[in-house]
Amino acid sequence: MSIMNSSSLLGIFLLDKPLHLSSNQALQRVKRIFRAKKAGHTGTLDPLATGMLPVCFGAATKFSQYLLNEDKSYLVKARLGETTTTGDLEGDVVLRRDVPVYSEADIGRVIDLYRGEIQQVPPMYSALKHNGKPLYEYARAGIEIERPARTVTIHQLDLLAFTAESNEFVLRVKCSKGTYIRSLLHDIGESLGCGAVVTELRRTQVGDFLEQDMVALDHLSELKENDPDTLQQFILPLGSAFKHLPSLVLDSDRLQRLRCGQSVFIDSAAVDLTVARDESGMFHGLVGVQSNGLISVCKLLLA
C-alpha cells in the first residue's frame, strides 16, 4: 500500500529542519506531506537552528519521552563581544564589549572548564514553564523569572575552529538532555570576559540516530510531487530508536498477559529499561525487570 494512502503510519522520520521554521511549523509540513493522522516531534529546535528533528508517527508518539531523554550532538558557531536577550541572533543586543586578543589555546583553556557535569541556568527565552506559562512569554513582557541552576552533562566539547579576525569560533558538542546550547555559549563568553552569541546552530545526532539519515524538507516535498511511493523508505522502525538498549525476547502468551495488565515473571537479571521483542525479533515496547523477575511495563504497542 502506498504510504500516501495509509491511515495508520507507525515509525520515526528524521527531518533536517530548515532555518527560520519553528519546530511545530516544520512538524505540520511533514504531517501534511505524509497525510499522517497523528504525529509529534521530539526535542524542540529554535527557528534559527537547523538539523535533526525526529518526527514520530502514530503510536510512536507514545515513546517520544524516551527520545527526549537521549543525548544530543550539535555543531555551533559563536561570535565573541556581544550579548543578546536570547543568546542568539534572534534577540536584541543588550551589551557589546571589546574582545581581548585571544589565541586558539586561550579559547581552548576556557572550553576545558565546561566538560563533564556543569551547573546551567536555563535561558528566559525557553519553553520551560513557570506557573503554567512558558518562560519566553514572561521574557517578551520584560519580566525576569528566577530560574534555579540545573545539572547537565557535557560529554564532548571540541574547538573545531577559531578566527581571531572575526572573533568567531566553532564547537562540536555532545550533551545530556536538558542542555541549552545558547546558555552554554553565554557562559563560555562570560568566562572569556567579553560575552558570546550563537550565530549558527545545527543538531547532528539524537541518541542512535545519525546525521546521514536526515531528510531535507525541500527534498521531501519534491518526492511528494514526483514520486510519492518512495516516501515509505524514510520511515524508520520504532525499534531503531532503542538499539543501544538490551533486548528481552518474550513469547506471545507473555506479551498478551502484559498487555492485559497481568503479572509476568521471567528468569532474568534485573534491568531498568529493556526492549521487549517477540520470537521473530519484532519490537513490542519497553519494559523493566525487577530483582524478583517481575516484568514491569514502561510502554507497549497494542497488538
Side-chain angles (χ1 to χ4, degrees):
M1 178 186 297
S2 168
I3 195 168
M4 303 308 296
N5 297 320
S6 174
S7 61
S8 57
L9 292 179
L10 172 62
I12 299 172
F13 171 73
L14 300 181
L15 174 67
D16 187 347
K17 189 192 85 66
L19 199 63
H20 301 311
L21 280 186
S22 72
S23 293
N24 186 60
Q25 288 171 329
L27 167 67
Q28 296 308 319
R29 292 195 186 185
V30 170
K31 190 176 179 180
R32 285 195 296 270
I33 289 172
F34 282 97
R35 297 183 181 176
K37 288 187 174 181
K38 187 175 183 180
H41 67 73
T42 64
T44 301
L45 282 174
D46 296 330
L48 289 184
T50 66
M52 188 173 294
L53 186 68
V55 175
C56 297
F57 291 124
T61 57
K62 298 178 181 180
F63 293 80
S64 60
Q65 68 188 87
Y66 297 99
L67 282 175
L68 289 170
N69 292 338
E70 296 292 341
D71 291 340
K72 300 170 180 65
S73 296
Y74 299 86
L75 289 175
V76 55
K77 187 176 183 179
R79 183 170 63 236
L80 297 174
E82 290 183 6
T83 304
T84 71
T85 53
T86 59
D88 60 18
L89 295 180
E90 198 170 38
D92 298 325
V93 176
V94 294
L95 186 61
R96 286 191 172 94
R97 284 173 273 182
D98 292 333
V99 180
V101 179
Y102 285 126
S103 67
E104 189 169 314
D106 295 328
I107 304 294
R109 278 190 289 270
V110 170
I111 287 171
D112 288 344
L113 303 175
Y114 289 88
R115 293 191 185 94
E117 284 193 353
I118 63 171
Q119 295 296 303
Q120 185 180 82
V121 176
M124 274 299 301
Y125 280 87
S126 67
L128 288 177
K129 299 289 182 65
H130 176 75
N131 292 335
K133 191 161 68 171
L135 286 178
Y136 62 76
E137 291 190 14
Y138 293 97
R140 289 168 181 167
I143 301 172
E144 183 82 12
I145 302 295
E146 185 175 349
R147 291 98 63 206
R150 306 188 301 181
T151 301
V152 298
T153 303
I154 308 299
H155 301 291
Q156 182 180 2
L157 187 59
D158 299 328
L159 178 62
L160 301 183
F162 172 61
T163 306
E165 292 77 14
S166 59
N167 293 314
E168 293 179 312
F169 60 98
V170 179
L171 299 177
R172 179 188 290 116
V173 185
K174 183 177 182 180
C175 55
S176 65
K177 68 171 184 176
T179 302
Y180 286 91
I181 302 300
R182 287 176 289 135
S183 293
L184 175 64
L185 269 296
H186 173 273
D187 293 346
I188 289 173
E190 292 306 305
S191 293
L192 287 164
C194 57
V197 61
V198 172
T199 58
E200 295 179 29
L201 179 62
R202 180 168 178 79
R203 186 156 67 196
T204 57
Q205 186 172 354
V206 176
D208 290 326
F209 296 131
L210 302 177
E211 185 175 17
Q212 59 262 30
D213 296 322
M214 293 190 291
V215 181
L217 191 56
D218 286 346
H219 181 54
L220 199 66
S221 299
E222 182 182 342
L223 287 177
K224 178 193 174 184
E225 295 299 322
N226 300 318
D227 197 4
D229 287 345
T230 62
L231 294 178
Q232 176 71 58
Q233 65 183 304
F234 299 118
I235 305 295
L236 303 177
L238 179 53
S240 63
F242 306 106
K243 291 185 292 187
H244 61 288
L245 292 178
S247 290
L248 184 65
V249 177
L250 299 172
D251 58 38
S252 57
D253 177 64
R254 284 190 172 96
L255 286 169
Q256 186 57 35
R257 284 160 56 194
L258 286 174
R259 290 192 181 94
C260 294
Q262 300 174 10
S263 295
V264 174
F265 291 85
I266 194 168
D267 184 14
S268 172
V271 62
D272 290 332
L273 193 64
T274 184
V275 172
R277 299 187 185 277
D278 62 24
E279 292 167 315
S280 70
M282 183 177 295
F283 176 92
H284 282 265
L286 300 173
V287 299
V289 181
Q290 300 178 22
S291 57
N292 62 353
L294 176 66
I295 295 178
S296 54
V297 173
C298 301
K299 190 71 65 177
L300 285 179
L301 291 172
L302 296 176

